[in-house]
Amino acid sequence: MSQAKPIITFENVTKRFGKLAAVDDVSLTVNEGEFFALLGPSGCGKTTLLRMLAGFEVPTEGRILIDGQDVSNTPPNKRPINMVFQSYAVFPHMTVADNVAYGLVVDKVAKAERDRRVEEALSLVQLDGLGGRKPDQLSGGQRQRVALARALVKRPRVLLLDEPLSALDAKLRAQMRTELCTLQEKVGITFIMVTHDQDEALALASRCAVMNKGVLQQVASPNDLYEFPSSRFVADFIGQVNLFEGVLAVDEQDHAVIRAPDLPVDLFLDHGVTGARGATLWAAIRPEKIELHKKTGETPPNLGDAPAGTNAVAGVIRHEAYLGGSSTYEVEIAGGRRIKVQRSNLTRWDQEDFALGETVWLCWHACSPAVLLS
Amino acid sequence: MEQSWKQAKAVFAAALAAPLAWLVVFFVAPMVIVWAFSFGQNQGLTEIAISGTFHNYARAIAPLYLQIFLKSAWVAGLTTALCLVLGFPVALAITFAADRAKTWLLLLIMLPFWTNLLIRTYALIAVLRTEGYVNMGLEWLWKGGGALAALVGLKPLGAFQPLELLHNNFAVVLGLVYVHLPFMVLPLYAALDRLDRSLLEASLDLGAGHLRTLLRVVVPLALPGIASGVLITFIPALGAYLTPDLLGGPDSQMIANVIERQFKRANDWPFGAALSFVLMYLTFIAVAIQAVLAKRTPEARG
């Protein structure tokens, strides 16, 4: 993966169903060997994009290239791509082995070779010895493995996964997540996954594309998506966030100040902002990047990277959710705005200091807010 | 919702009483009477003595009548096969039609039910008879062809010979297929419409063409629907009465026509009753075979 070689390219792809544009002018490149995730709320067009790649839908405008070849109008059975369906779509009237062999029979692979590859594929997904079973004798997780084996046995250039973990229970989901990762490293095939679950996308993907209402919002690594979102939509969709609308009051080379009506203090940033002074913008602060201190006096805590009177505000804990490893709080500040804060429970007692109704200080580093222009 | 009848016996009994009484009086009782007749013999014009004889059954399976049974089964079987061949593509087309068109197409399939069978059969006669619409159309084409031949200097075609389309086995099978096609299409449609579309997409995705997908995925999964369509077509076709009576010739009578004659013209109720019950046993066997087959084929679940 040192040099990125494009394998899939969407060129200004639009898909309209009637008047509605399900996918609106999407341009996107997926590189060889990537685990790529298409992420977005339901109805954002991510599944339509995947189905166009598989060949079940034809783009209204634009082109789709696989290995540089235009496949926009190629039928699904002629594409070097295989798919794991959300419902798994395992043929109920065939045994597991026949399901896996289906694509090889179509390709007229000789019997001996076929049997060998089916066995290999089944052992790859840890279904050794279950080839004779019928799908109704399998659990949901096993059926998914059959669907995986059936697609991988064809040695596709790209494997598509439509909401691969959505039908599994929580425990199995966590297990399959790890297994999918291992599997992808083992077979070295490019995986493209559609999901509405941001945790899933962040955990699995090497790169994610976030979509909303048919439009591509941001394409980035999970880390960049979380820490450097490009818009309020992405910041809000990926994880939790506190958004403050404000105007740029100071904008220098090495620092900037945002004045937000919701906050009684100024937001001090340790970097300049490329934006017009006085323009509306948004500061996004993740809950875990806000520190919670017990209020013992009138002097706010200072983290040392912002002038006094900025980046710290007093409030009252109005809501608390204990999650074991961490706790989340909603703290009401002067003016009534509630701020989400997440705090790791570092010792076995310290969450007791932050009970409901407690007055606390909130403060954050000058580098913590992400500035959003849209 | 899952309340057992055991917890509300009185309500259950009250709800059941009326339909049960209806069934006993108008279905079970007449059947028992006819069944009893089948073991009796005529005494005079109207009296039937139930003597417990198997004579009527012996007659019913004698070669003469056995042949008619076989012929009925053959005609019904052919009808069913034709209905399946014609009905499957229709059901498939309706399944994949746009949602709005679907309703209309299903309506078209069911529309004939709204017209009386007798009227539909007479309409078929009007279409098929010697001076009927088919022959009229053919004659028009023939004459047109003749005129064209004369125009290019070929020798004339001669007089038009109308096709004999009515009062033969062809007319009976055509009529039966026409009447029973909806019985085939509807269960097939129900089975195909339930099919998980992603199974078909998976087949295409794995490289199969449409024909392979149809034969390897659609047909096997629609098998329960095909079985019930076959049964629901075969049984009424086996006992068809009106169609062979009106469209058939002297050699195309089916078992129901023979039964009718025993009850009416021949005035031999005991023998007619025996024939009826043989027909009914045959039907039971067909249902039993279907049930066994249905158990063997896996459920068409996604």
Side-chain angles (χ1 to χ4, degrees):
Chain A
M1 294 223 303
S2 49
Q3 71 257 62
K5 181 170 166 269
I7 183 165
I8 303 273
T9 310
F10 291 92
E11 279 181 2
N12 306 95
V13 171
T14 296
K15 176 69 184 180
R16 269 187 279 274
F17 294 109
K19 273 190 190 135
L20 181 91
V23 171
D24 196 353
D25 195 24
V26 166
S27 292
L28 180 66
T29 303
V30 178
N31 296 324
E32 180 126 39
E34 269 191 305
F35 198 137
F36 195 88
L38 289 166
L39 181 62
S42 57
C44 73
K46 59 191 191 297
T47 301
T48 307
L49 201 62
L50 193 78
R51 289 176 58 81
M52 281 194 279
L53 189 51
F56 299 126
E57 308 283 354
V58 177
T60 316
E61 282 161 33
R63 299 196 305 162
I64 298 172
L65 310 175
I66 302 176
D67 285 326
Q69 293 227 304
D70 186 355
V71 295
S72 309
N73 294 302
T74 310
N77 50 352
K78 301 271 186 284
R79 297 189 185 200
I81 282 183
N82 287 108
M83 180 150 161
V84 175
F85 289 80
Q86 185 172 11
S87 64
Y88 313 145
V90 173
F91 303 127
H93 59 299
M94 294 182 196
T95 62
V96 168
D98 286 344
N99 261 287
V100 178
Y102 189 86
L104 298 179
V105 173
V106 172
D107 290 347
K108 299 195 172 67
V109 174
K111 176 102 174 64
E113 155 99 0
R114 199 166 74 212
D115 290 347
R116 194 181 55 74
R117 276 171 68 178
V118 167
E119 204 153 306
E120 209 176 86
L122 284 178
S123 102
L124 188 69
V125 296
Q126 294 159 37
L127 284 180
D128 315 66
L130 295 187
R133 294 259 186 107
K134 279 288 185 71
D136 57 5
Q137 296 168 295
L138 300 178
S139 68
Q142 287 172 322
R143 271 203 285 272
Q144 179 171 49
R145 287 158 197 267
V146 175
L148 270 169
R150 186 176 68 178
L152 286 173
V153 80
K154 300 252 309 178
R155 294 173 188 157
R157 294 282 289 135
V158 179
L159 182 76
L160 309 182
L161 301 130
D162 188 5
E163 301 272 4
L165 306 177
S166 63
L168 303 176
D169 60 63
K171 200 108 190 189
L172 204 54
R173 196 178 305 169
Q175 186 194 338
M176 273 316 282
R177 213 186 254 179
T178 327
E179 276 187 36
L180 273 180
C181 257
T182 323
L183 192 64
Q184 200 256 346
E185 281 163 20
K186 211 189 276 181
V187 296
I189 290 171
T190 309
F191 279 25
I192 300 181
M193 170 178 76
V194 154
T195 181
H196 66 273
D197 183 335
Q198 29 126 347
D199 290 338
E200 206 171 291
L202 296 189
L204 282 170
S206 50
R207 238 161 30 109
C208 294
V210 181
M211 287 182 76
N212 186 35
K213 293 177 182 159
V215 180
L216 204 57
Q217 303 288 323
Q218 188 173 1
V219 184
S221 69
N223 180 49
D224 285 355
L225 273 187
Y226 189 78
E227 304 295 0
F228 305 96
S230 65
S231 64
R232 277 175 295 158
F233 176 80
V234 175
D236 194 37
F237 187 72
I238 311 278
Q240 299 279 316
V241 73
N242 294 295
L243 279 171
F244 300 100
E245 185 175 335
V247 289
L248 203 53
V250 178
D251 186 12
E252 299 295 333
Q253 192 87 43
D254 61 345
H255 74 277
V257 171
I258 294 172
R259 200 149 291 154
D262 278 359
L263 279 176
V265 294
D266 283 343
L267 268 156
F268 182 86
L269 302 169
D270 65 354
H271 57 84
V273 176
T274 44
R277 188 164 309 178
T280 304
L281 39 67
W282 292 266
I285 315 179
R286 300 285 184 193
E288 77 281 2
K289 293 186 174 61
I290 298 179
E291 285 186 18
L292 207 52
H293 292 275
K294 207 167 171 175
K295 194 173 180 222
T296 47
E298 288 308 311
T299 325
N302 195 306
L303 297 176
D305 54 8
T310 64
N311 291 7
V313 59
V316 180
I317 295 179
R318 292 294 182 208
H319 186 264
E320 181 205 7
Y322 176 69
L323 303 173
S326 62
S327 295
T328 60
Y329 303 91
E330 268 180 40
V331 178
E332 190 176 309
I333 58 171
R337 170 74 192 259
R338 286 188 177 201
I339 296 178
K340 287 177 263 185
V341 182
Q342 187 182 351
R343 183 173 181 283
S344 291
N345 293 322
L346 294 174
T347 74
R348 290 165 65 197
W349 302 279
D350 62 354
Q351 75 275 9
E352 289 166 12
D353 287 348
F354 303 101
L356 229 51
E358 203 79 38
T359 309
V360 290
W361 282 113
L362 304 179
C363 58
W364 54 89
H365 283 284
C367 62
S368 289
V371 179
L372 308 172
L373 301 176
S374 66
Chain B
M1 286 305 287
E2 289 272 316
Q3 198 181 13
S4 167
W5 63 272
K6 284 176 189 154
Q7 277 144 31
K9 276 183 185 149
V11 179
F12 186 76
L16 196 67
L20 204 63
W22 179 276
L23 274 178
V24 167
V25 172
F26 294 106
F27 177 70
V28 179
M31 288 285 280
V32 169
I33 293 170
V34 175
W35 183 73
F37 280 172
S38 72
F39 296 102
Q41 55 201 97
N42 272 345
Q43 274 185 344
L45 268 179
T46 52
E47 289 285 298
I48 293 166
I50 294 159
S51 54
T53 175
F54 279 90
H55 174 70
N56 296 314
Y57 284 99
R59 254 181 89 196
I61 55 170
L64 175 65
Y65 294 104
L66 199 61
Q67 220 177 349
I68 294 176
F69 270 116
L70 285 176
K71 167 146 188 153
S72 302
W74 159 243
V75 170
L78 184 65
T79 301
T80 308
L82 288 172
C83 280
L84 183 59
V85 169
L86 292 172
F88 198 86
V90 174
L92 207 58
I94 298 176
T95 307
F96 287 98
D99 278 341
R100 213 167 342 138
K102 228 178 223 183
T103 321
W104 286 104
L105 290 170
L106 284 172
L107 191 73
L108 280 178
I109 296 289
M110 285 187 273
L111 208 55
F113 284 132
W114 297 357
T115 316
N116 185 285
L117 175 60
L118 195 62
I119 293 170
R120 279 187 282 151
T121 308
Y122 273 110
L124 258 186
I125 292 177
V127 171
L128 295 177
R129 68 196 158 130
T130 319
E131 310 84 29
Y133 298 115
V134 171
N135 275 320
M136 269 164 63
L138 285 174
E139 187 175 6
W140 184 81
L141 283 177
W142 185 269
K143 279 184 177 158
L148 208 65
L151 210 65
V152 294
L154 292 170
K155 68 176 175 160
L157 289 168
F160 174 71
Q161 283 292 321
L163 295 174
E164 290 299 333
L165 298 172
L166 201 58
H167 302 307
N168 51 29
N169 291 329
F170 165 79
V172 173
V173 172
L174 185 82
L176 287 176
V177 169
Y178 163 62
V179 170
H180 290 100
L181 197 56
F183 291 105
M184 182 62 89
V185 171
L186 293 178
L188 283 181
Y189 165 74
L192 292 173
D193 201 48
R194 264 204 319 263
L195 256 182
D196 183 359
R197 294 293 164 85
S198 63
L199 291 172
L200 313 187
E201 289 182 345
S203 173
L204 292 176
D205 184 69
L206 291 165
H210 284 93
L211 187 65
R212 186 192 291 268
T213 302
L214 186 72
L215 295 179
R216 292 272 175 269
V217 179
V218 178
V219 170
L221 289 177
L223 225 47
I226 293 174
S228 56
V230 163
L231 195 71
I232 222 170
T233 310
F234 182 77
I235 291 173
L238 187 64
Y241 160 70
L242 192 67
T243 310
D245 194 47
L246 291 180
L247 301 180
D251 71 329
S252 41
Q253 58 179 331
M254 287 171 71
I255 195 64
N257 305 106
V258 177
I259 294 172
E260 186 255 353
R261 212 177 318 124
Q262 298 309 319
F263 276 97
K264 287 166 127 183
R265 264 168 280 179
N267 195 25
D268 192 348
W269 283 35
F271 183 50
L275 285 172
S276 300
F277 269 88
V278 172
L279 179 61
M280 200 137 78
Y281 296 143
L282 285 177
T283 311
F284 284 155
I285 291 171
V287 175
I289 291 173
Q290 196 264 351
V292 170
L293 287 179
K295 235 180 196 171
R296 267 198 215 158
T297 49
E299 286 272 314
R301 272 181 279 118

